[in-house]
Amino acid sequence: MPIDDTTDTVDMTDTEEFQLPRSRSANDRLHAMIPGGAHTYAKGDDQYPEHLAPVISHGRGAHVWDIDGNRYIEYGSGLRSVSLGHAHPRVNEAVRREIDRGSNFVRPSIMEVQAAERFLATVPTADMVKFAKNGSDVTTAAVRLARAVTGRSRVAICADHPFFSTDDWFIGTTPMSAGIPTATTDLTVSFPYGDLAATEALLTRYADDVACLILEPAAHREPPPGYLEGLRDLADRHGCVLIFDEMITGLRWSEAGAQGLYGVVPDLSTFGKALGNGFAVSALAGRRELMEHGGLRHRGERVFLLSTTHGAETHCLAAAIAVQSTYVEEGISARLHTLGERLAAGVREAASSMGVGENVLVKGRASNLVFATLDENGQPSQLYRTLFLRRLLLGGVLAPSFVVSSALADADIDRTIDVVADACAVYRKALDAGDPTPWVAGRPVKPVFRRLA
């Protein structure tokens, strides 16, 4: 039975007996039926300390409950997709209304008109938009369109950004490349973020063969002055398509994404995650003269841009409309930044006060904070990450990152900082001992992208 959020809730205790027995059993059942035990590798139990991977019962606002009855303050909700908090009333009401009217028809619904109008009003740098269900759908469509309009084969990806698509053109470049032909992987090349000279050298080396440059316009650091403008100029001079992957930056940087904040307009851009507040919706947007190649109002060769049975389900488009309206009317992007700044300042102060200010680091834009765990030599450490995650979980904080949602209250931030301070005190003990193993209590957490299971 689902655990009610007002009764039968177990208080978190700082004890080694805390073992999540129901979640542990459910994880075993998941692995018996689902490869990897989750439908997203980043949600796998290998990303959490051993036997401390909670299986979620439900969520509301900035809190989630596991099936063992524990309540957590949650960060990075839905891998950054639930930026308004779980079960947001305005979004849920919009979804319920459309479900009662039918979700999928043999012809486009009026909801597709309304969703496109809302999106293009929110992201005025785009002329046209097409919706799908996930980020990989639209990034791959953008790459296909770029190849079609340029007649070129190679795709240039930013080497410093961790993920673009589940499709072969990207996954072939990762350590998990099993099953992908070398001939496919050879068509993807990479460039470093922030280095215009290296990017120009790449474009010169593969003269007239690079179809597109695809990157996140910003990530854990701000773009260097003139960098995005320089990329825009390079793409124009070398005749390739500039694609901004705004899966994360979309809405979190500003309502119109990073392109709206920095004022550099890509040829194509892709949105998702925050767009649906957990409901499955993504978007490919861009210049009309490119996007129309995937349409019917031209005389050229047709491009199979996007064609998805479920891409325009009415309730998911209704969610996107409600999300964008809420962002614009309530200033959500600004609130995310305010919350993140308060959290970052508190975490840094807590780490410093416990003597680990150079080992526990908070990085990134305030609306998209991540943390790094460094060892006594200042090197990234999975063992220390395991220790840190374990102490957060014991304190009732579920935080693979410190990415905030707008549902967080000041009390949630204060509680999180207190838990971080306790975690940092243990971190200091491990550093002094020169070995975190006694505080890890099992195997370390693992990187998502690795060659062997």
Side-chain angles (χ1 to χ4, degrees):
M1 292 290 290
I3 299 166
D4 183 77
D5 60 355
T6 56
T7 61
D8 299 327
T9 297
V10 178
D11 288 332
M12 283 291 190
T13 57
D14 187 11
T15 170
E16 297 308 313
E17 282 73 42
F18 177 65
Q19 287 290 319
L20 303 181
R22 292 180 182 176
S23 291
R24 184 174 178 180
S25 174
N27 276 313
D28 288 341
R29 290 158 61 196
L30 284 165
H31 279 281
M33 298 178 288
I34 300 166
H39 285 89
T40 308
Y41 284 118
K43 296 183 182 182
D45 57 2
D46 61 335
Q47 302 301 294
Y48 291 85
E50 193 166 13
H51 308 320
L52 287 185
V55 174
I56 303 303
S57 164
H58 65 290
R60 183 165 295 121
H63 297 166
V64 295
W65 287 256
D66 68 25
I67 60 174
D68 290 278
N70 303 299
R71 184 170 87 168
Y72 306 84
I73 303 167
E74 188 197 39
Y75 293 89
S77 313
L79 303 181
R80 296 178 173 86
S81 66
V82 186
S83 62
L84 298 177
H86 298 290
H88 188 274
R90 184 171 181 176
V91 177
N92 280 5
E93 177 55 33
V95 168
R96 289 191 192 98
R97 184 170 59 247
E98 290 307 316
I99 285 177
D100 287 341
R101 292 161 53 85
S103 64
N104 210 335
F105 312 107
V106 75
R107 279 281 294 148
S109 74
I110 191 62
M111 185 58 62
E112 294 174 53
V113 176
Q114 296 166 358
E117 288 174 341
R118 173 72 269 183
F119 182 92
L120 295 174
T122 306
V123 187
T125 42
D127 301 321
M128 300 185 80
V129 61
K130 195 157 189 179
F131 296 108
K133 302 309 284 184
N134 60 64
S136 295
D137 291 342
V138 290
T139 52
T140 291
V143 166
R144 184 186 305 117
L145 181 56
R147 283 171 160 165
V149 299
T150 62
R152 301 173 179 181
S153 300
R154 294 189 189 274
V155 177
I157 65 173
C158 182
D160 299 306
H161 297 157
F163 190 80
F164 289 105
S165 175
T166 61
D167 291 295
D168 289 1
W169 63 269
F170 172 71
I171 294 297
T173 70
T174 75
M176 295 175 70
S177 60
I180 299 172
T182 302
T184 298
T185 304
D186 287 346
L187 291 175
T188 301
V189 295
S190 64
F191 60 93
Y193 188 80
D195 192 334
L196 290 173
T199 306
E200 182 160 30
L202 179 78
L203 293 171
T204 300
R205 176 184 177 188
Y206 296 106
D208 301 325
D209 196 30
V210 174
C212 60
L213 301 171
I214 181 168
L215 73 157
E216 297 178 48
H220 300 321
R221 60 188 175 108
E222 289 292 290
Y227 174 62
L228 296 179
E229 293 87 347
L231 278 183
R232 175 70 276 172
D233 179 63
L234 282 177
D236 290 340
R237 287 196 285 115
H238 288 268
C240 57
V241 175
L242 180 61
I243 303 171
F244 282 176
D245 178 343
E246 298 243 34
M247 288 297 143
I248 294 173
T249 54
L251 294 171
R252 282 194 178 272
W253 262 239
S254 79
E255 291 85 357
Q259 60 195 279
L261 180 65
Y262 300 124
V264 177
V265 181
D267 299 302
L268 301 171
S269 55
T270 58
F271 288 73
K273 293 198 181 285
L275 186 59
N277 202 53
F279 288 94
V281 59
S282 60
L284 169 64
R287 291 167 41 209
R288 182 177 304 277
E289 55 267 38
L290 296 182
M291 294 287 286
E292 195 61 82
H293 282 269
L296 300 175
R297 295 184 174 181
H298 66 98
R299 296 179 180 274
E301 187 175 6
R302 295 186 70 191
V303 177
F304 194 94
L305 186 60
L306 277 168
S307 183
T308 56
T309 298
H310 302 289
E313 287 176 319
T314 57
H315 61 286
C316 291
L317 295 184
I321 292 172
V323 167
Q324 291 170 98
S325 298
T326 301
Y327 262 81
V328 171
E329 294 167 17
E330 298 183 17
I332 297 297
S333 296
R335 173 166 172 75
L336 293 175
H337 282 85
T338 299
L339 288 167
E341 286 167 355
R342 189 165 184 268
L343 176 64
V347 169
R348 288 174 181 136
E349 181 179 353
S352 179
S353 68
M354 295 297 169
V356 296
E358 295 182 357
N359 304 91
V360 177
L361 306 179
V362 182
K363 304 190 295 184
R365 192 169 182 84
S367 61
N368 188 53
L369 295 172
V370 298
F371 57 80
T373 50
L374 309 184
D375 64 16
E376 58 275 7
N377 299 314
Q379 298 301 308
S381 169
Q382 293 296 104
L383 275 171
Y384 278 100
R385 179 175 174 84
T386 309
L387 179 156
F388 192 65
L389 287 173
R390 182 177 180 82
R391 305 312 297 189
L392 293 183
L393 285 163
L394 293 173
V397 176
L398 180 58
S401 69
F402 282 142
V403 176
V404 297
S405 74
S406 66
L408 286 161
D410 288 346
D412 296 320
I413 301 288
D414 292 341
R415 172 60 183 164
T416 301
I417 293 167
D418 288 343
V419 173
V420 167
D422 291 341
C424 288
V426 177
Y427 205 115
R428 181 68 260 171
K429 292 179 183 178
L431 287 171
D432 291 341
D435 180 13
T437 304
W439 291 274
V440 169
R443 55 108 181 104
V445 298
K446 299 179 181 180
V448 171
F449 286 113
R450 60 186 192 272
R451 190 171 67 87
L452 300 176

